[in-house]
């Protein structure tokens, strides 16, 4: 048994780690695995959707070969353990980019499909799964299913956002996005409060593919929801295709910070720092895609700054309502909780609908917040927010992020969970699924 | 405390310290400078044992440079996976041949096939090998002979043919993955070690012979590497990744370094190990 922690470093579970072999030998390998096992990618999920306490984790990263790249039409086929980082190295020099990318490039294709991840361009491009044309799913009984929107379509829908539970994805094929240059024309705009945020979000909808905001969760009263809005488009003017960002940064957090480093003061300083860096009202620039899409990737293992107790990320989506009352109330609740959130992202989602059965994104405004683990107080606050989100008609408990939602709330947010059950492979299980279905033997 | 325990302890402490230092200042992959040194023309590279984890990582670097590759491996399914991968990664051309490399009778024809497919050869990387089961070999000469065929004689055959080819052309690079295990026979691993020692000595002689002909002969000596070959071993701090070692192989070939330990700190460890007096060495437990 070896330690394997997910990104939030909140769970200390024990696993037996097995490594996936070659693609063609996978059926024999799965047949030999005892129950229960769970395929895992790079462990960039924050909570326990990539954990299987007391069971086997099947490391999928050795499946890291490419199968085909149609450079004219932007169609890529690769094994499920290939990381987005590797993909970018290969496609960017040929003028292609990922149609959808999460905020880190250190995730695998299998992980991106299994959580049906989203990025800064949700309004324009939807989720990762919406660009997948087909994949091969291997069940533990040796059945191999070629899945596409037309072939084994029910398995296609169940596996996109299927949390690794429907079987092992061996390879996938997906459409890329044409780019003229690896740079992004970026605009950074300060906003003083939530109303200004929604104003900028609305006027940015049509003209800007990529949008995201960082908000200061300590601000309340008149400046509740103040922050900075980032928006951008891929630079149209052709420049040289270079994978390498202009100045590669090499920083790392080499040790686990002591818990006391995370007092109110350092957190607030970090937030203010991020905020005050942008002095003018609108700052325009052209930046490489690397700092634009992956600002945190420059700092290796940044999750260690939260100390040994780890942290939890909370993400919810709240539908639009009159005066943005629900999201305002939630931010107010957090701002006045005395707990110390860090890295708060606010963003609007469009109405693009993913085929994924359990897929999380939907139209509304989404808030994602990192909470250092402060024990029961943190848990209590998050349960209160669950209640507010549920009352607003929204959704919380994104499986890529969640570490603590109760089965009661999960079932309310994901009523399709029961229909999904019939697609679960009998030999596959995860700590997340046992927890949110109230089945943690 | 016994002297041998002390020496073994000192060696492992030194090894751990060196591994730590090396890990803390790992070099970035193939630097732009190294890549800039690439030929104008695509290199024509032959790889024997192309499905090896280390060889695949080296091959990815050549593919990224747009080189032409001829891959030899014994397992057709693995070979297909690797060939497709290297095509996507940018290789200008990828050709393959399925061959059990202990079948030395077919070496000459396969090399001809490679030279014809790529329109000549610039570089040959020989990477295949098996980590012999020492205990089983001790009980069986037949098995030991088999290991010698795989790890030593097949290499001798390939290098003989390549040396003659490149000598006539007065150019070319022959790179072979030997091992630190060939630097001194240890009781726990001497069949493999003897085969690799043979490879190292053979290459050293060929290097001398071909020096005037302008042919580069490279001996690569990896330490412990996390690959399928060592899947059954517990991974300590001394293990390097296939990626870093494969990139080291590529760098050695591009820069023409003749004898390379990978990671470099193994040179220090092996220098110490080679100098331990025999009466002590024979009592060391490794
Ligand atoms: C800094 C950071 C920023 C992030 N930003 C975003 C963001 O903007 N948007 C977003 O949506 N997410 C975001 N995430 C979350 C991340 O994108 C997801 O958690 C993603 O699924 C992680 O991929 P992974 O390869 O690490 O998979 P893991 O975390 O290892 O696994 C995730 C799930 O995939 C399954 N899985 C993995 N491989 C396979 C396979 N081959 N076959 C079947 N199932 C498989 C696992 O069983 C598990 O259920 C972020 C994470 C970090 C750390
Ligand atoms: N891993 C280490 O710690 C280490 C240390 C020092 C040196 N080395 C050397 O590095 C080289 C590469 O090994 P690796 O670590 O990358 O391990 P690996 O992935 O197991 O590669 C070994 C390769 O050799 C192939 N092979 C074995 N016998 C063969 C034969 N008769 N004909 C054709 N191919 C044959 C294997 O093919 P199949 O896949 O078909 O079996 C496999 O592809 C070897 O020479 C090894 O001795 C390794």
């Amino acid at each position: 048994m070896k330690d394997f922690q997910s990104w939030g470093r909140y769970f200390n579970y024990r696993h037996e780690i097995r490594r996936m072999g070659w693609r063609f030998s996978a059926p024999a390998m799965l047949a030999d695995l005892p129950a229960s096992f769970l395929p895992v990618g790079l462990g960039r999920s924050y909570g326990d959707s990539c954990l299987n306490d007391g069971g086997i984790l099947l490391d999928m990263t050795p499946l890291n070969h490419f199968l085909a790249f149609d450079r004219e039409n932007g169609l890529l086929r690769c094994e499920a353990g290939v990381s987005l980082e590797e993909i970018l190295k290969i496609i960017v020099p040929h003028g292609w980019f990922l149609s959808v990318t999460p905020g880190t490039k250190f995730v695998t294709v299998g992980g991106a499909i299994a959580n049906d991840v989203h990025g800064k361009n949700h309004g324009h491009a939807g989720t990762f799964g919406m660009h997948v044309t087909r994949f091969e799913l291997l069940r533990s009984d040796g059945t191999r299913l070629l899945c596409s929107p037309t072939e084994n379509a029910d398995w296609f829908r169940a596996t996109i956002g299927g949390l690794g539970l429907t079987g092992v994805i061996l390879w996938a094929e997906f459409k890329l996005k044409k780019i003229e240059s690896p740079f992004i024309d970026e605009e950074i705009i300060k906003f003083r409060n939530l109303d200004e945020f929604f104003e900028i979000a609305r006027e940015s909808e049509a003209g800007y593919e990529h949008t995201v905001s960082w908000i200061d969760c300590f601000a309340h009263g008149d400046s509740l929801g103040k922050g900075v809005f980032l928006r951008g488009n891929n630079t149209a003017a052709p420049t040289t295709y270079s994978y390498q960002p202009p100045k590669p940064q090499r920083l790392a957090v080499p040790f686990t910070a002591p818990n006391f480093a995370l007092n109110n003061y350092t957190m607030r300083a970090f937030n203010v720092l991020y905020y005050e860096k942008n002095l003018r009202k609108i700052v325009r620039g052209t930046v490489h895609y690397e700092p634009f899409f992956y600002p945190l990737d420059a700092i290796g293992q940044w999750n260690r700054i939260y100390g040994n107790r780890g942290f939890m990320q909370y993400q919810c989506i709240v539908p639009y309502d009159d005066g943005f009352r629900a999201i305002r109330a939630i931010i107010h609740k957090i701002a006045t909780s005395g707990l110390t959130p860090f890295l708060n992202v606010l963003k609007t989602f469009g109405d693009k609908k993913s085929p994924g059965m359990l897929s999380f994104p939907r139209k509304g405004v989404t808030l994602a917040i990192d909470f250092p683990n402060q024990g029961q107080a943190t848990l209590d606050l998050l349960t209160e927010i669950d209640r507010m989100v549920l009352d607003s008609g929204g959704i919380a408990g994104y499986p890529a992020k969640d570490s603590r939602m109760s089965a009661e709330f999960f079932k309310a947010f994901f009523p399709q969970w029961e229909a999904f059950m019939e697609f679960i492979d009998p030999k596959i299980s995860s700590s997340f699924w046992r927890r949110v279905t109230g089945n943690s033997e | 405390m016994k002297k041998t325990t002390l020496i073994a302890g000192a060696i492992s402490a030194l090894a751990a310290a060196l591994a730590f230092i090396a890990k803390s200042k790992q070099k970035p992959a193939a630097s732009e400078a190294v890549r800039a040194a690439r030929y104008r023309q695509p290199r024509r590279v032959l790889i024997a044992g192309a499905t090896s984890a280390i060889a695949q990582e080296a091959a990815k670097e050549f593919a990224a440079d747009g080189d032409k590759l001829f891959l030899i491996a014994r397992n057709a399914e693995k070979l297909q996976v690797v060939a497709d991968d290297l095509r996507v990664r940018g290789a200008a051309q990828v050709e393959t041949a399925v061959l059990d490399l202990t079948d030395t009778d077919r070496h000459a024809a396969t090399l001809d096939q490679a030279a014809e497919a790529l329109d000549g050869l610039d570089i040959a990387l020989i990477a295949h090998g098996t980590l012999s089961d020492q205990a089983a070999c001790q009980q069986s000469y037949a098995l030991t002979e088999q290991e010698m065929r795989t790890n030593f004689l097949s290499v001798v055959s390939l290098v003989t043919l390549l040396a003659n080819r490149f000598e006539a052309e007065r150019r070319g690079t022959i790179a072979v993955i030997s091992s630190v295990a060939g630097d001194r026979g240890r009781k726990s691993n001497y069949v493999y070690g003897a085969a690799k020692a043979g490879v190292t000595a053979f290459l050293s002689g060929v290097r001398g012979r071909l020096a005037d002909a302008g042919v580069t002969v490279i001996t690569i000596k990896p330490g412990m590497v996390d690959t399928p070959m060592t899947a059954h071993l517990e991974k300590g701090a001394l293990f390097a990744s296939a990626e870093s070692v494969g990139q080291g192989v590529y760098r050695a070939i591009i820069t023409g370094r003749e004898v390379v330990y990978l990671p470099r700190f193994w040179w220090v460890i092996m220098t110490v190990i080679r100098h331990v007096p025999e009466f002590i060495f024979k009592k060391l437990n490794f």
Side-chain angles (χ1 to χ4, degrees):
Chain A
M1 289 286 188
K2 279 190 197 146
D3 282 328
F4 179 90
Q5 281 191 310
S6 61
W7 193 247
R9 306 178 74 254
Y10 174 70
F11 298 99
N12 291 298
Y13 285 165
R14 308 295 284 169
H15 301 96
E16 185 186 335
I17 314 246
R18 300 274 184 97
R19 276 200 217 174
M20 190 68 193
W22 295 78
R23 184 167 85 233
F24 56 83
S25 59
M29 176 165 191
L30 255 56
D32 285 345
L33 284 183
S36 70
F37 71 89
L38 180 73
V40 288
L42 284 164
R44 275 343 191 252
S45 297
Y46 288 73
D48 51 358
S49 62
C50 60
L51 301 177
N52 185 21
D53 193 15
I56 294 171
L57 287 183
L58 182 57
D59 174 4
M60 297 297 293
T61 57
L63 275 192
N64 63 357
H65 298 98
F66 289 92
L67 282 78
F69 178 20
D70 178 343
R71 293 174 191 174
E72 269 70 60
N73 301 304
L75 199 63
L76 185 72
R77 197 163 1 123
C78 65
E79 290 179 342
V82 173
S83 71
L84 301 189
E85 182 200 22
E86 282 283 292
I87 292 174
L88 290 169
K89 274 193 219 169
I90 301 224
I91 63 174
V92 171
H94 294 282
W96 295 100
F97 204 75
L98 296 158
S99 297
V100 169
T101 178
T104 173
K105 60 187 181 304
F106 303 125
V107 308
T108 63
V109 167
I113 295 175
N115 270 319
D116 197 15
V117 301
H118 57 268
K120 291 183 168 65
N121 62 351
H122 183 268
H124 288 247
T127 62
F128 191 91
M130 292 172 66
H131 304 273
V132 173
T133 47
R134 53 190 178 135
F135 55 78
E136 183 176 348
L137 182 70
L138 173 66
R139 304 270 295 170
S140 64
D141 64 6
T143 317
R144 305 171 73 147
L145 299 169
L146 190 66
C147 306
S148 77
T150 51
E151 208 173 334
N152 293 308
D154 48 347
W155 288 97
F156 185 75
R157 286 194 301 272
T159 302
I160 292 177
L163 309 177
L165 300 168
T166 62
V168 170
I169 302 166
L170 293 180
W171 57 265
E173 180 185 79
F174 44 94
K175 283 184 282 201
L176 305 171
K177 172 192 156 68
K178 184 88 199 125
I179 52 169
E180 298 300 329
S181 122
F183 290 87
I184 306 281
D185 292 327
E186 171 195 66
E187 294 184 6
I188 305 175
I189 311 169
K190 275 168 76 161
F191 52 88
R192 275 175 307 211
N193 53 42
L194 206 60
D195 291 322
E196 276 192 25
F197 164 79
F198 279 107
E199 216 175 286
I200 302 170
R202 196 172 328 106
E203 76 182 41
S204 308
E205 249 168 44
Y208 297 85
E209 175 172 354
H210 310 289
T211 61
V212 71
S213 299
W214 303 75
I215 66 163
D216 178 351
C217 255
F218 291 104
H220 45 282
D222 285 347
S223 48
L224 181 134
K226 77 167 181 180
V228 290
F229 197 104
L230 262 82
R231 63 187 188 191
N233 287 309
N234 294 82
T235 305
T239 43
T240 48
Y241 293 136
S242 157
Y243 163 71
Q244 285 295 328
K247 272 179 286 160
Q249 279 168 288
R250 286 193 174 274
L251 291 167
V253 179
F255 55 85
T256 305
N259 291 330
F260 65 77
L262 289 176
N263 56 36
N264 247 316
Y265 181 76
T266 45
M267 293 278 200
R268 195 179 292 266
F270 187 97
N271 270 349
V272 169
L273 182 110
Y274 210 95
Y275 184 62
E276 294 297 339
K277 218 174 79 183
N278 310 292
L279 292 169
R280 281 177 294 149
K281 180 111 166 94
I282 298 192
V283 185
R284 291 198 171 80
T286 298
V287 293
H288 192 269
Y289 72 78
E290 187 78 25
F292 184 80
F293 287 117
Y294 312 115
L296 291 167
D297 284 357
I299 314 167
Q301 301 278 297
W302 60 262
N303 55 341
R304 294 182 184 180
I305 62 175
Y306 289 102
N308 273 327
R309 288 182 299 184
F311 68 109
M312 288 174 245
Q313 184 167 96
Y314 188 87
Q315 184 166 1
C316 60
I317 308 170
V318 175
Y320 295 113
D321 59 14
D322 244 14
F324 317 112
R325 278 193 312 261
I327 191 73
R328 200 183 300 275
I330 290 168
I331 297 173
H332 178 78
K333 177 103 222 157
I334 294 166
T336 54
S337 68
L339 296 174
T340 44
F342 195 55
L343 293 179
N344 317 299
V345 173
L346 190 66
K347 179 179 161 43
T348 50
F349 276 161
D351 45 19
K352 291 250 178 343
K353 187 88 195 75
S354 164
M357 251 179 115
L358 291 181
S359 190
F360 183 72
R362 62 208 59 199
K363 191 172 174 65
V365 56
T366 184
L367 178 67
I369 306 183
D370 285 353
F371 285 98
N373 172 23
Q374 289 174 268
Q376 199 55 41
T378 311
L379 295 172
D380 289 346
L381 172 70
L382 299 184
T383 307
E384 280 183 68
I385 303 173
D386 282 345
R387 169 70 58 202
M388 297 168 81
V389 174
L390 191 63
D391 290 345
S392 78
I395 184 168
Y398 180 24
K401 313 277 180 82
D402 183 65
S403 307
R404 34 63 53 192
M405 180 173 281
S406 70
E408 178 199 349
F409 273 107
F410 181 81
K411 290 173 179 176
F413 285 128
F414 293 84
Q416 62 288 37
W417 74 275
E418 247 176 323
F420 174 77
M421 290 283 282
E422 69 176 274
F423 293 96
I424 296 181
D425 189 295
K427 273 168 58 171
I428 301 183
S429 181
S430 70
S431 291
F432 175 84
W433 195 252
R434 292 191 292 272
R435 172 168 63 80
V436 299
T437 53
N439 195 9
S440 17
E441 306 98 76
Chain B
M1 218 190 286
K2 274 172 65 183
K3 218 197 238 158
T4 49
T5 330
L6 268 175
I7 291 176
I11 291 175
S12 42
L14 170 72
L18 288 167
F20 179 78
I21 294 166
K23 286 228 167 89
S24 58
K25 51 174 193 187
Q26 252 174 18
K27 271 193 246 68
S31 70
E32 293 293 328
V34 169
R35 273 215 208 289
R38 72 187 183 195
Y39 304 172
R40 293 272 159 111
Q41 292 288 318
R43 306 180 192 100
R44 297 161 297 180
V45 188
L46 171 108
I47 304 180
T51 56
S52 120
I54 295 174
Q56 284 187 62
E57 294 299 334
K60 285 179 190 175
E61 298 296 322
F62 288 112
D65 287 348
D67 293 335
K68 297 178 171 184
L69 308 173
F70 190 94
L71 312 177
I72 306 174
R74 62 178 169 184
N75 181 311
E77 280 175 305
K78 293 183 189 177
L79 187 55
Q80 177 74 44
V81 170
V82 174
D84 287 344
D85 180 61
L86 294 171
R87 284 190 190 101
V88 172
R89 289 179 189 271
Q93 184 186 348
V94 182
E95 305 292 337
T96 61
V98 177
L99 178 64
D100 184 321
L101 287 161
T102 54
D103 187 356
T104 49
D105 290 347
R106 288 179 53 200
H107 282 187
T110 309
L111 292 188
D112 287 345
Q113 187 194 336
E116 196 179 328
L118 302 188
D119 196 21
L121 293 176
D122 300 307
I123 295 166
L125 169 62
I126 301 174
H128 67 285
T130 49
L131 187 56
S132 318
D133 178 342
Q134 175 65 30
C137 283
Q138 279 165 212
Q139 302 307 317
S140 160
Y141 169 70
L143 186 60
T144 302
E145 186 184 312
Q146 177 60 35
E147 290 299 324
M148 289 296 171
R149 285 186 195 288
T150 307
N151 290 323
F152 179 56
L153 290 173
S154 67
V155 177
V156 168
S157 163
L158 285 171
V159 173
T160 300
L161 292 165
L162 288 161
N164 294 342
R165 173 183 292 273
F166 286 148
E167 185 178 40
E169 295 175 358
R170 301 194 66 78
R171 47 181 295 289
T173 297
I174 303 171
V176 183
I177 307 188
S178 183
S179 171
V180 294
D183 278 14
R184 195 163 186 179
R186 293 180 295 124
K187 69 179 171 191
S188 62
N189 196 20
Y190 65 80
V191 171
Y192 177 77
K196 291 296 192 185
V199 167
T200 300
F202 191 82
L203 292 175
S204 159
V206 174
R207 181 178 303 118
R209 171 190 146 200
L210 297 182
D212 287 344
V215 178
T216 308
V217 177
I218 298 175
T219 309
I220 294 152
K221 300 183 187 178
M224 291 184 276
V225 194
D226 186 356
T227 71
M229 184 177 276
T230 54
H232 58 292
L233 302 177
E234 198 53 47
K235 303 293 177 301
L238 284 179
F239 273 84
S241 69
E243 195 182 1
S244 71
V245 173
Q247 288 168 353
V249 169
Y250 164 83
R251 258 197 307 270
I253 293 174
I254 298 311
T255 56
R257 277 178 62 97
E258 293 169 328
V259 179
V260 207
Y261 286 86
L262 290 175
R264 294 249 189 117
F265 66 77
W266 280 96
W267 177 80
V268 183
I269 298 177
M270 296 319 294
T271 302
V272 172
I273 288 181
R274 272 198 315 269
H275 288 88
V276 176
E278 197 65 33
F279 74 93
I280 295 173
F281 193 76
K282 71 179 183 192
K283 291 188 182 149
L284 294 181
N285 261 328
F286 60 62

